Amino acid sequence: MSARIHQDDRRRLRDLIVVGWSHAGQHAYVASLGIAIPYVIVSFHTNYAMVGILLSIAAIAGSALQVLALVVRKTSARLLFTIQNIGSTIGAVTAALAPGIYIFMAGRLIQSGAGWPQHPVGGSYLANRYPKTRGTTLSWHVTAGNIGTLLAPLLMPSIIATYGWRAAFWTLSALLVTTTVAVAVWLPSPWRGLTSTNDSADQEGIGFWSRLRALIRQRPVFALLVAGSVAAGGQGIGIVGVYTPGYLHTSLHLSAISLTVILTLLYVGAVVGPILMGSLADRRSHRGVLITNYGLGALALLLFVFSGKDILSLSLFGIAIGIFSYSELSLRQTVFSDYLPPGMSRAGFGVFFTASQSIGALWIAIIGITVADGGFRDAFILMAITFLAAALIVLWGTHKRPATRDNS
């Protein structure tokens, strides 16, 4: 019996590593995009308003596709992740070959569209594999993605400086090939029941859609969906990761070395932050830690943008942004999972990411327009306001002891 338990533990750990590495590839794309954008803008003679609008379109399209999690509830995670990573590789190659800004952004659109399974399918799969420590596990899933984010400032600035931004995307393509191989080879076979939910409603053949509608109408669930749409304006992936390199490069005119140091420290915070905050949430309170994270994240964003060119302050507050902005998603996902009834993990997470990220993707355009019209300082202030507003929504809409937890 002991040997069987250890074998199961090893399999769960392997699954966490493989799903996490797939997540790392998706984050590496977005982080590399943020670092390359200042150079792409110059190369294609465009501006941040145009880039923000095009990025927003791609993000909305990819986020909306997450609704497919409600339809493919029985499709294996391995198949979905393999298709995802093949598509993401094609997106990176398209960006590397792009003759203009529209084809370049088409690469992002392809990657965003292909990457829809990572959050709803990966989150529900891991939450069900580790039901007793879902806060820590989901934070590890986010942290694995942030390791991909960390790879970007470690590799891309020097590649861009030496060989140009196109070479950076060829490097990214090679990384995404490794995620494709890892998923296809090491996740369990789809023929061995690799669905990420034990959907009792499906087994009975009745009631799934009525249960889903009833779930969304619950005040805590609705509040968390709205909070996510608002807080997306200050989230790490998609906002901070896209506009912070531009602020350091275009507004502060920092050297490549200073930019690399600050971004690396920010992404180090993004790696360790979700682990620390997720573990704290499991020991203390999922809801309480999420609300605290919103407040500290808003403060970090404000202190960062009011630090001027002081490298030490930018580095310290950059770490804080990494910790709190990149912990928001896993913490909110953990609180959301507390309200999911048995058998609704993948569908629930599909609604969670579709609703919050589709609407939240508009923030990419809003922040880009704010940068073009008012500057980066106004943009960072707006990011901080979104976190404070989300904290108030969670305070209003949720309660300390969730009525249900999904232990399927």
Side-chain angles (χ1 to χ4, degrees), residues 52-282:
I53 291 170
L54 293 174
L55 285 175
S56 184
I57 292 171
I60 290 171
S63 298
L65 285 174
Q66 291 175 116
V67 75
L68 291 174
L70 279 67
V71 179
V72 292
R73 299 189 303 276
K74 297 298 183 181
T75 304
S76 77
R78 186 175 84 167
L79 177 60
L80 293 174
F81 285 143
T82 300
I83 295 172
Q84 165 190 280
N85 291 313
I86 291 173
S88 296
T89 304
I90 293 172
V93 170
T94 300
L97 295 172
I101 188 64
Y102 294 109
I103 301 300
F104 178 85
M105 287 301 173
R108 167 57 175 154
L109 180 63
I110 293 169
Q111 183 271 332
S112 181
W116 75 263
Q118 187 64 57
H119 287 140
V121 176
S124 61
Y125 177 78
L126 294 174
N128 287 321
R129 292 286 272 168
Y130 301 85
K132 296 181 180 179
T133 56
R134 61 161 58 92
T136 303
T137 301
L138 292 175
S139 71
W140 270 108
H141 183 220
V142 170
T143 293
N146 292 339
I147 290 173
T149 302
L150 178 60
L151 290 175
L154 292 176
L155 297 176
M156 297 308 170
S158 59
I159 294 175
I160 292 173
T162 306
Y163 302 105
W165 61 264
R166 294 182 188 277
F169 279 91
W170 285 115
T171 303
L172 185 62
S173 303
L175 171 64
L176 290 167
V177 168
T178 70
T179 67
T180 305
V181 173
V183 166
V185 173
W186 284 301
L187 267 189
S189 167
W191 310 118
R192 292 203 293 268
L194 185 60
T195 55
S196 55
T197 177
N198 178 23
D199 197 332
S200 58
D202 277 356
Q203 291 174 355
E204 296 168 6
I206 58 173
F208 171 78
W209 294 107
S210 62
R211 292 175 69 201
L212 184 62
R213 287 192 296 271
L215 175 66
I216 297 172
R217 286 197 295 266
Q218 293 179 18
R219 177 170 164 174
V221 171
F222 179 76
L224 288 164
L225 294 176
V226 174
S229 300
V230 174
Q235 260 186 18
I237 189 69
I239 297 293
V240 171
V242 168
Y243 290 106
T244 299
Y247 170 61
L248 299 174
H249 176 82
T250 305
S251 182
L252 298 186
H253 305 290
L254 297 184
S255 67
I257 294 176
S258 296
L259 185 146
T260 299
V261 169
I262 294 169
L263 287 181
T264 299
L265 291 173
L266 189 153
Y267 294 141
V268 167
V271 169
V272 302
I275 300 173
L276 295 175
M277 300 302 286
S279 178
L280 181 63
D282 277 341

Side-chain angles (χ1 to χ4, degrees), residues 337-354:
S337 71
D338 289 339
Y339 294 95
L340 293 179
M344 296 293 288
S345 286
R346 184 182 288 191
F349 284 150
V351 172
F352 175 87
F353 287 105
T354 301

